[in-house]
Amino acid sequence: MDPDELAAWLRLTLTPGVGNDTARRLLAAFGLPQAIFVQPAAALRQLLSPTQASALAQEPPELAARLKATQDWLDGAEDGLERRVITLGDGAYPAGLLTIEDPPVLLYATGQLQLLESESNRPPARSESAPTAIDSIVNGWPARALAVVGSRNPTPQGAQNARQFARHLGAAGLTIVSGLALGVDGAAHEGALQAVDEAVPARRLATVAVIGTGIDRVYPRQHRALAHRIARQGLILSEYPLGTPPLPANFPKRNRLIAGLAQGTLVIEAALQSGSLITARLAAEQGKEVFAIPGSIHSPQSRGAHALLRQGAKLVETAQDVLEELRWPAAPADTPGPVPDAPVPSGDTAALLAALGADPVGFDALQARTGLPTERLQARLLELELDGQVSRLPGGLFQRLARA
């Protein structure tokens, strides 16, 4: 994109009172932004209020600085990475976003953009006699993608589920879309990256992170290294101008993009008042499948998923449940190999694992269930914790972790 064209697009988005909806109406009426700014006032007033028409006639004072910052960002791409401003009129604009409510006029993208047209991103062939609900949208960007979202403060089992599901679904050829937040989002990105690390060849997008800040910022800071890995093996996407800080209102808004880029949404642990439920609702409104993993009835982090299940979300227990529902069979070469059998526990360990059950439990309750002396019970819990079979939770609780 040449500087004049980029300046026109930026000017359109920077004009006060001209949001995405108004900008789209102008583009539909007059074509590219350069054509909008040469229209006579009478033509603009047919579509705009007098205030909007007046604002559009004046160049925003910050345009020159914003244009320079954007051009510097584009020119600063590292070797092996691409940076691009994708406009609503660009052939590379995600097809899945064209049908959502309020599609953004501009998108900022960095990462492996050349992999968007990868042969491995195309969906498997389907029988004409067995159409699915996603046939009309499966040729989106990328073609096979699943959103995986959930709590920023998951239980250890919830984080492990996110990582394992994303890894197995990634191994089946799906691109995992999430929001780079702490908790489930980060674990899902990590699982997707692991799947691509294990794949031969690995020529497809592992994961797409849709962020709620300017693309030149990483939030939260703890995910700086993860963001770099995503850019190397996937894509980072933002609708917000460079330099946009982490404003609370921007994160729920970006969830429509997460839902729009994917052909389904999987929720792994979410409170009742959760941004993940916003993503699930938007996915359902877009006619896409919503999946949820059930959890403990005693855990606040399970209540959002349980609410979705009552509303008709598909209950899933394995990654294969998702693949079968969407008719996305795993390619034989990508199917994860069998997991070696874990050693069969015996004695105190077997009794303790049975007593732990599936829900978090306190030390006193475990002692009552097992009858083990305090020192022996503490020793066995420590062994299981070090072995990755048990997690120690706040409040003196313990939770059994399922093995991969």
Side-chain angles (χ1 to χ4, degrees), residues 81-145:
L81 299 181
E82 291 185 76
R83 292 179 178 178
R84 192 184 305 176
V85 176
I86 303 173
T87 70
L88 194 60
D90 195 323
Y93 192 90
L97 299 187
L98 293 174
T99 57
I100 69 171
E101 183 178 351
D102 193 31
V105 173
L106 292 184
L107 290 168
Y108 300 81
T110 184
Q112 302 304 317
L113 285 153
Q114 74 277 7
L115 295 183
L116 287 175
E117 301 302 324
S118 170
E119 185 73 23
S120 62
N121 259 342
R122 296 183 181 178
R126 289 183 172 82
S127 167
E128 291 295 328
S129 61
T132 73
I134 64 164
D135 280 341
S136 62
I137 59 172
V138 77
N139 290 322
W141 181 91
R144 301 178 68 196

Side-chain angles (χ1 to χ4, degrees), residues 151-172:
S151 173
R152 284 177 169 78
N153 299 289
T155 66
Q157 186 66 66
Q160 186 170 329
N161 284 342
R163 193 173 291 105
Q164 290 176 348
F165 268 76
R167 174 176 169 252
H168 285 227
L169 292 166

Side-chain angles (χ1 to χ4, degrees), residues 323-350:
L323 296 172
E324 290 176 357
E325 187 66 34
L326 294 176
R327 301 189 183 183
W328 286 340
D334 291 334
T335 303
V339 178
D341 292 334
V344 177
S346 59
D348 292 350
T349 301

Side-chain angles (χ1 to χ4, degrees), residues 20 53 71 74 99 106 162-163 186 207-208 250 276 294 320 339 344 401:
N20 287 334
Q71 195 63 61
L74 290 168
T99 57
L106 292 184
R163 193 173 291 105
T207 186
V208 176
N250 287 349
S276 302
Q320 189 62 31
V339 178
V344 177
L401 299 178

Side-chain angles (χ1 to χ4, degrees), residues 13 28 44 67 107 121 185 191 195 206 213 237 347 361 381 391:
T13 60
L44 293 176
L67 176 61
L107 290 168
N121 259 342
D185 286 19
T213 65
L237 199 66
V361 61
L381 284 170
S391 177

